[in-house]
Each structure stands twice: as structure tokens, then as C-alpha cells.
Amino acid sequence: MSRTATEGESVDEGLRVCVIGDELVAGLGDARGLGWVGRVMARTRTEDPVFVAQLAVPRESTTSLSARWETEAHRRFGAHSDNRLVIGLGSADLDEGLSLARSRLNLANILDGATASRVGCFVVGPPPRPDVDDVALAQLSAAFADVCQRRHIPYVETHEPLRTHEQWHADVAAGDGAHPGQAGYGLLAWLVLHNGWHAWLGVPSDGS
């Protein structure tokens, strides 16, 4: 719980969460405007309000993400707050023709930089897209997962659970053919909530 500091003490500035990634982080296509981030935070119970910043750039590759995350996130972190970084990864690396080795290195650089700054990380992998090669995306997700596993950082696999999920594909098809709507973002939120989210934040699960 945050409190007012007495003389000579620093102020506990509470929990601050920056969510970086592509347009899925912003909830593009969700008529309710919540996306998976809003749905996850709605099921996250904390004693004090949580500052959440969604720092999305459409179709962003890990190269671009690794170049900007630190400047943007650290402007929102506090010297005496519990600073957390959530990384929502997409499939833009495939569009840009990045090698798996480069994608791995980009993610590793983000995670290592955050760790050096005492910022806890949580990574959400790329979900399936009908306009992206499924095998290549599975390989990319596996590469991201390996980078996180080696650093003992939580990784939420979204590609494999949703690859043959009828509701996911129907929801994407009902929209622009690439991004989910309310149902799809609900599925993403469920995967996040049931893969270590509450434990990572150190807050009780809502039992859902």
C-alpha cells in the first residue's frame, strides 16, 4: 500500500505498468475499446490504484520496439515506484524479414535492459493471424519463449492455444480479417490471466 512519507523518507509511488507493443496492445478492433490490456486490468485487484500506460505502435517490429521502449517507459516510471514492463509481441518481424536470431536478440536486449534497471518483465507472445505464415509465426513464438525461459521471465504462449480456436478465427474474420474483436481480446485476456499474471504482480487471483 502506498503512503505519505515522513521526513527523511521517500514516497512509495505504487505500481506502474507500461505495456509496449503493436496495435493489439491498443485493442484495435475492439468496439468496447478495452483490448486484452483493459480486460486484464479489470480482473486485477490491488489495494491501491495502478498506473497503466499503453504504449502501442502499429505493426511494430522488435527492432523498433527495442529502440524506443526505454525512453518511453522510463518517462512514466517513478524513482520510488514498483515499475513493471509488459511486452506484447506481434508478427511484424516476419513482415520485415527479420531472422529468428535477430528477433531473439532484440527481445533479449529489452529484457536485459529492463532487468538492469530493476524493472520486472512479463511477455505476451504473438497470436495467430490469417495473413501471416502459420509455421513461421509458430517458430517466432517458440524463439521468444526460449529467450524468456532462459531469463526466468513469464511468457504467455498465445499462438498455439488459438491456432485452431474456432471462436478466435471467427472473431478475426468478422472484423478486418487481421485483428480480433471483443471475443478475441477476451480470449487473449484469459490466457494472460491464467498464465502467471497475478503471481507476477504479487496480487490475489480473482478466481476466474
Side-chain angles (χ1 to χ4, degrees):
M1 179 182 295
S2 61
R3 62 182 178 82
T4 302
T6 59
E7 185 176 356
E9 291 184 321
S10 59
V11 177
D12 178 358
E13 298 174 335
L15 182 62
R16 298 190 183 186
V17 180
C18 286
V19 189
I20 58 174
D22 66 6
E23 66 274 13
L24 291 177
V25 165
L28 179 65
D30 182 2
R32 295 182 64 189
L34 293 172
W36 66 263
V37 176
R39 286 172 169 80
V40 165
M41 294 311 302
R43 306 302 290 267
T44 303
R45 294 184 289 115
T46 58
E47 292 186 9
D48 297 304
V50 180
F51 173 83
V52 180
Q54 292 163 248
L55 310 175
V57 173
R59 301 301 294 162
E60 184 171 49
S61 70
T62 57
T63 298
S64 173
L65 192 61
S66 65
R68 76 171 175 96
W69 81 268
E70 189 169 12
T71 299
E72 294 197 21
H74 279 279
R75 291 180 64 187
R76 293 157 174 92
F77 289 152
H80 305 291
S81 58
D82 182 358
N83 300 315
R84 305 296 184 101
L85 182 70
V86 178
I87 305 165
L89 298 169
S91 56
D93 282 16
L94 301 178
D95 297 332
E96 294 193 6
L98 298 185
S99 66
L100 284 179
R102 172 53 60 181
S103 296
R104 289 173 60 98
L105 180 60
N106 288 337
L107 177 58
N109 286 339
I110 296 172
L111 299 179
D112 292 345
T115 299
S117 298
R118 300 179 181 273
V119 175
C121 294
F122 188 95
V123 182
V124 180
R129 289 177 59 126
D131 58 339
V132 173
D133 181 84
D134 193 64
V135 173
L137 188 54
Q139 293 173 340
L140 182 63
S141 183
F144 288 148
D146 183 63
V147 171
C148 293
Q149 183 179 23
R150 290 172 183 270
R151 288 160 176 77
H152 306 289
I153 288 173
Y155 180 80
V156 179
E157 169 66 43
T158 68
H159 177 266
E160 183 57 32
L162 299 177
R163 185 175 62 84
T164 58
H165 199 292
E166 292 184 3
Q167 187 179 30
W168 169 265
H169 288 286
D171 199 50
V172 171
D176 63 3
H179 304 94
Q182 295 184 50
Y185 281 113
L187 291 170
L188 287 173
W190 190 95
L191 288 170
V192 170
L193 290 167
H194 290 80
N195 283 278
W197 174 259
H198 294 98
W200 177 65
L201 285 179
V203 299
S205 171
D206 64 0
S208 62

